[in-house]
Amino acid sequence: MCGIIGYAGNKLAVPIILSGLKRLEYRGYDSSGVAVLEPNGELVIRKGEGKLSQLIAVMGNPGQGTLGIGHTRWATHGKPNEANAHPHTDQHGNIAAVHNGIVENYREIKERLQGQGHHFKSQTDSEVIPHLIQSLMEKGDSFEEAVRKAAAQLHGAHAIVVINAKEPGKIIGVRIGHAGGLVVGYAHGEMYLASDLTAIAPQIKEAAYLHDGEMAVITPASARFVRLDGTPVAKEPQAVTHDPVSAAKGQYRHFMLKEIMEQPETLMSALRDRIDFQSSKVTLPGFPFKQAQIKAIDRAVLLGMGTSLHAAQIGGRMIERLARIPCEVENASEFRYRDAILGPNTLVISVTQSGETVDTLVAMAEAKIKGAPQIAVTNVAGSEATRKADYSLLINAGPEIAVASTKTFIGSVACLYLLGLTLGEMRGILSKESIRQHIDHLVKLPEQLGEVLQLAPQVEMIARDLAKKPNFLILGRGINFPVAMEGALKLKEVSYIHAEGYQAGEMKHGPIALIDEHMPVLAIAPKDRLYDKMMSNIEEVRAREGRLIAIATKGDESIGEKVKDVVFLPEVTELLSPLLTVAPLQLLAYYIAVRRGADVDQPRNLAKTVTVE
Ligand code: AGP
């Protein structure tokens, strides 16, 4: 999760940008930088590796500039060093850009521009952005047109903010997809742009959010909005509350919705610094196990509770397929009491977003006594789980405030997939070419998840229809069975609806007796190996007049003829499908909870971290 801030006004820009970056520190980062336009037309850029204090140390004289941009970076392409830190500039050092997202087609753009004589100074994908803008301006486009056209050429999801020394009174921001938001802040005679309202909330009176495919052009006195096709957009800024909790929720009514909508960014954060797109390699920094040790592993045990247990169940299937290690997945509170057989060749992988769940920690302690090598997948650096494990795979999702886990589920599953690829490579199961193909699929995922989240209004309509139902069945098969259970858990937790996640094949063996016209049945039916089987189960529900809803793959017309409400998702590989299929279920639980008037972010009887048995 990179952080972005821009300021155009009449005060010195550097202190304002630095204090905004400070407020974005909670998102985590590995380097930072600012670009400021001095009154003499000079574009001054300063960058620092590591903590913000490094940037402050190299800042020196803050200068006289009253317009500038700043960025905190979490590395995706290229090491976290000064050259790779943002802002990046064009060939002539006139255009400076900061970026959040992954330019999926950056290699192609870079090679094209290199052919035109452009030289690049960093290993980042982001650097192509100012170069592309420059190249379009050299062909006759205005700064604004060039930013708009450049943005339209980038594949993937992005938030971009750009300044140009030749047009000193202007900052341009663009949002494409769900790589994080951009908000325009209004104050008296000054304007702000930021990735996060918290960065600018204390300074502003009103704010307006950019939607997917929109661009903002701000000056100290005004903000103008257009779509990427050039058509103007009218926006009414909303008053900003200075209560820090409301500011942290940004444009969302609840943290749960904010965290669901943040998930494409969560995916990017999980992939950051772990995938080398240039050499198509997955590297888990600091991974301590040697190849011989990994080759000797004869079994993996994955542990977790609640949502983290469901992530572990998906991870177990991924690791089994990618690394051919037999995986057992168990509820940590059961595991700890069964005197399991473990040893140095059993890899124990514990999933716990908080890193403090007592059931999981005690199971880890038990595994330690038995000498099993351990990996923790967690969102909290320095938590007890990280101290117990030999290696911690951090989800890097930023704080999750809603009690119901959503983005940490996505982050955990993405990390487990990377772990599967790493183990598969170390064990000689996956070839370089097959890893390259997995990476190609992975890199598209944040954008595809963004597409799914745009279906929120459809899910809200379905929720309206189902909000009064007391029971719910969710059917899944294979890797989507744990997703069915996660969907059911979300309905229980936040909507207080009795819901069950079932293996679809199990239905005939009992639960089918529950089905009549009052029972909503949601079938997770992506086009995969088990699709035909799931269609038979759908027919069984139809025959008993159950109220069917389906999650299916775009282009599957036949399912639409059988099921009233179908949420269509982009096509994705079977192993990665849970990262998309879970999103409509999270949204469904959220919208039903809102309609039922439940306390969405703090459901009754629940705590975010369960530290007692
Ligand atoms: C999920 O929405 C719940 N908050 C709960 O099931 C949670 O996943 C479980 O308590 C485990 O927590 P952990 O990931 O912090 O270990």
Side-chain angles (χ1 to χ4, degrees):
M1 291 203 294
C2 301
I4 290 177
I5 178 161
Y7 172 76
N10 46 25
K11 301 192 185 111
L12 291 186
V14 168
I16 292 173
I17 292 169
L18 290 177
S19 73
L21 292 180
K22 185 102 194 113
R23 278 191 288 275
L24 290 172
E25 264 185 323
Y26 78 94
R27 295 160 71 105
Y29 58 92
D30 50 46
S31 54
S32 52
V34 297
V36 177
L37 283 176
E38 287 297 312
N40 64 4
E42 194 193 348
L43 179 66
V44 177
I45 298 201
R46 295 282 182 272
K47 299 179 183 185
E49 196 182 314
K51 293 269 171 214
L52 205 57
S53 51
Q54 289 302 114
L55 176 65
I56 294 168
V58 297
M59 215 49 238
N61 177 354
Q64 295 302 310
T66 58
L67 181 142
I69 57 180
H71 186 263
T72 48
R73 171 177 189 253
W74 248 8
T76 47
H77 294 56
K79 293 195 167 46
N81 59 24
E82 214 179 294
N84 291 333
H86 300 214
H88 291 289
T89 54
D90 70 319
Q91 191 88 330
H92 310 305
N94 288 331
I95 297 163
V98 292
H99 170 229
N100 191 6
I102 298 175
V103 183
E104 289 169 15
N105 54 338
Y106 87 100
R107 257 185 259 182
E108 177 195 316
I109 298 173
K110 192 167 176 175
E111 281 165 17
R112 181 166 34 115
L113 292 171
Q114 279 168 330
Q116 293 166 14
H118 287 251
H119 294 285
F120 290 84
K121 296 185 213 130
S122 78
Q123 301 161 302
T124 66
D125 55 328
S126 309
E127 195 185 1
V128 300
I129 297 168
H131 282 261
L132 191 55
I133 295 169
Q134 175 206 338
S135 120
L136 288 160
M137 287 176 71
E138 281 167 359
K139 287 183 190 134
D141 284 328
S142 68
F143 176 41
E144 226 173 288
E145 274 168 355
V147 174
R148 204 159 47 73
K149 287 189 188 167
Q153 286 187 36
L154 307 177
H155 295 176
H158 312 277
I160 302 163
V161 172
V162 202
I163 55 175
N164 177 4
K166 302 288 173 205
E167 286 194 41
K170 202 182 259 184
I171 305 180
I172 302 182
V174 181
R175 176 176 177 178
I176 306 168
H178 295 263
L182 272 183
V183 56
V184 173
Y186 296 67
H188 190 66
E190 338 169 84
M191 298 289 291
Y192 293 78
L193 250 171
S195 51
D196 200 320
L197 185 65
T198 38
I200 55 175
Q203 272 79 31
I204 61 170
K205 295 184 167 42
E206 293 180 312
Y209 289 88
L210 257 67
H211 295 132
D212 177 16
E214 289 180 350
M215 178 167 116
V217 182
I218 69 166
T219 68
S222 66
R224 198 159 41 76
F225 302 91
V226 290
R227 293 204 179 81
L228 284 188
D229 63 6
T231 49
V233 182
K235 268 187 204 287
E236 271 306 310
Q238 309 291 313
V240 168
T241 147
H242 291 274
D243 154 42
V245 174
S246 307
K249 281 185 204 157
Q251 62 187 309
Y252 300 103
R253 191 167 153 202
H254 297 102
F255 281 109
M256 183 178 176
L257 185 59
K258 177 175 186 267
E259 286 155 6
I260 292 172
M261 292 301 183
E262 256 169 28
Q263 292 182 115
E265 254 193 289
T266 309
L267 272 181
M268 282 188 248
S269 303
L271 305 186
R272 262 184 196 120
D273 212 15
R274 291 168 177 160
I275 293 187
D276 183 340
F277 294 86
Q278 209 93 36
S279 62
S280 291
K281 232 181 125 40
V282 176
T283 313
L284 300 179
F287 196 67
F289 305 111
K290 299 278 172 281
Q291 189 160 27
Q293 195 179 0
I294 293 299
K295 280 192 163 166
I297 296 291
D298 54 21
R299 182 169 138 251
V301 175
L302 290 96
L303 302 171
M305 299 298 290
T307 291
S308 290
L309 174 62
H310 300 147
Q313 287 167 328
I314 294 167
R317 284 166 163 87
M318 288 171 162
I319 291 168
E320 209 156 75
R321 190 88 72 81
L322 297 169
R324 305 309 293 156
I325 299 174
C327 290
E328 283 167 29
V329 187
E330 196 163 342
N331 171 299
S333 68
E334 288 295 319
F335 172 88
R336 60 172 293 198
Y337 290 114
R338 82 169 158 89
D339 193 15
I341 302 164
L342 300 176
N345 293 339
T346 319
L347 180 63
V348 172
I349 303 164
S350 300
V351 185
T352 164
Q353 63 79 25
S354 63
E356 301 291 351
T357 297
V358 73
D359 302 281
T360 311
L361 293 179
V362 180
M364 288 178 80
E366 170 87 6
K368 200 173 187 110
I369 293 168
K370 291 181 172 166
Q374 297 207 57
I375 295 176
V377 177
T378 181
N379 198 32
V380 183
S383 59
E384 186 57 26
T386 66
R387 291 193 289 273
K388 287 205 159 35
D390 300 299
Y391 179 66
S392 301
L393 194 42
L394 291 177
I395 301 167
N396 292 332
E400 186 175 65
I401 311 293
V403 167
S405 294
T406 52
K407 65 176 181 173
T408 54
F409 172 82
I410 287 270
S412 303
V413 174
C415 285
L416 289 164
Y417 192 79
L418 294 179
L419 181 60
L421 291 176
T422 305
L423 298 174
E425 200 215 347
M426 289 175 90
R427 289 166 69 86
I429 306 291
L430 298 176
S431 66
K432 195 169 176 301
E433 174 54 21
S434 86
I435 291 185
R436 194 189 60 72
Q437 286 171 9
H438 283 289
I439 291 177
D440 285 351
H441 292 300
L442 260 179
V443 79
K444 291 198 189 98
L445 216 58
E447 193 185 359
Q448 291 178 315
L449 182 55
E451 268 180 57
V452 176
L453 294 172
Q454 282 178 342
L455 303 174
Q458 184 197 356
V459 180
E460 192 175 4
M461 290 299 288
I462 299 172
R464 197 174 292 184
D465 203 26
L466 299 174
K468 294 212 168 84
K469 301 282 184 193
N471 298 297
F472 223 102
L473 267 186
I474 306 185
L475 304 180
R477 277 181 174 269
I479 201 157
N480 277 299
F481 163 55
V483 176
M485 293 206 292
E486 175 58 11
L489 179 63
K490 288 283 124 357
L491 278 168
K492 286 177 206 152
E493 278 182 300
V494 299
S495 323
Y496 312 146
I497 289 182
H498 170 239
E500 301 285 348
Y502 257 99
Q503 296 102 330
E506 181 69 17
M507 202 180 56
K508 276 204 282 298
H509 302 275
I512 200 163
L514 293 169
I515 295 175
D516 62 15
E517 72 275 21
H518 304 297
M519 176 64 91
V521 181
L522 190 147
I524 307 173
K527 271 267 184 195
D528 59 17
R529 286 177 304 142
L530 301 168
Y531 174 78
D532 290 338
K533 303 276 170 215
M534 181 56 92
M535 287 310 281
S536 310
N537 300 126
I538 286 177
E539 290 295 357
E540 289 156 14
V541 176
R542 248 159 62 93
R544 285 148 190 94
E545 296 181 4
R547 164 75 170 89
L548 268 161
I549 309 108
I551 295 175
T553 305
K554 236 191 246 172
D556 176 5
E557 280 162 19
S558 59
I559 203 165
E561 291 160 15
K562 297 185 178 8
V563 179
K564 183 175 161 230
D565 289 302
V566 187
V567 181
F568 285 109
L569 311 183
E571 197 174 338
V572 69
T573 63
E574 188 177 321
L575 277 189
L576 289 175
S577 64
L579 291 160
L580 299 190
T581 52
V582 75
L585 295 172
Q586 296 167 335
L587 286 168
L588 186 69
Y590 170 76
Y591 286 121
I592 291 181
V594 171
R595 287 203 80 78
R596 289 166 77 110
D599 186 349
V600 178
D601 285 334
Q602 285 167 324
R604 67 188 182 202
N605 308 338
L606 296 179
K608 185 73 190 158
T609 308
V610 183
T611 53
V612 287
E613 258 197 279

